[in-house]
C-alpha cells in the first residue's frame, strides 16, 4: 500500500509561502528603496504601530503594482497610475518618519 503524505501544517505552509515570496525579486521593496535604513525600519515596525501599518500598506500597493506590471493581474492604465501615486505617497510618509528616527 502506498504511503500517503500528511498534509503540511499551517505553519509549514506559511513558511513555504514566505520562502517563495522572499525568493522573488520585486522591484521597489522598501528595504531596497532605503537600504541604509533597514535596521531602523525593522525597529520601527516592531515598536511603532503606525509605521508598521504604513510599511504594510506600502508593501501591499507595491506588490499589486508588480502583479500588474508582470502581467499576472490585468487592469486598466488608470488603476496602475493610481496605485503608483499611492505608492509614492506612502513612500514619502515613510521617509518622513525615517528621517526623524535616524
Amino acid at each position: 500500500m502506498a504511503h500517503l503524505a500528511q498534509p503540511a501544517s499551517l505553519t509549514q505552509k506559511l513558511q513555504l509561502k514566505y520562502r517563495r515570496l522572499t525568493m522573488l525579486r520585486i522591484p521597489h521593496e522598501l528595504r531596497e528603496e532605503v537600504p541604509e535604513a533597514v535596521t531602523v525600519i525593522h525597529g520601527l515596525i516592531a515598536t511603532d504601530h503606525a509605521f508598521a501599518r504604513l510599511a504594510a500598506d506600502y508593501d501591499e500597493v507595491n506588490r499589486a503594482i508588480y502583479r500588474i506590471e508582470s502581467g499576472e493581474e490585468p487592469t486598466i492604465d488608470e488603476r496602475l497610475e493610481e496605485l503608483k501615486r499611492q505608492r509614492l505617497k506612502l513612500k514619502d510618509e515613510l521617509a518622513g518618519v525615517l528621517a526623524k528616527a535616524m
Side-chain angles (χ1 to χ4, degrees), residues 12-66:
Q12 290 169 327
K13 288 178 185 177
L14 290 173
Q15 288 172 343
L16 182 60
K17 183 176 181 178
Y18 178 76
R19 271 189 248 132
R20 278 193 223 127
L21 283 174
T22 56
M23 290 171 46
L24 292 176
R25 179 172 176 313
I26 299 174
H28 303 288
E29 288 287 296
L30 190 55
R31 67 182 177 274
E32 287 183 3
E33 294 294 297
V34 281
E36 68 279 3
V38 170
T39 304
V40 176
I41 291 169
H42 288 290
L44 286 170
I45 287 173
T47 60
D48 183 334
H49 179 72
F51 184 87
R53 183 73 251 158
L54 279 174
D57 289 348
Y58 177 89
D59 287 343
E60 183 179 323
V61 169
N62 188 54
R63 289 178 181 154
I65 292 169
Y66 174 77

Side-chain angles (χ1 to χ4, degrees), residues 66-79:
Y66 174 77
R67 287 190 304 274
I68 292 166
E69 289 179 337
S70 68
E72 183 180 328
E73 189 174 296
T75 192
I76 58 174
D77 290 341
E78 291 82 8
R79 175 68 180 142

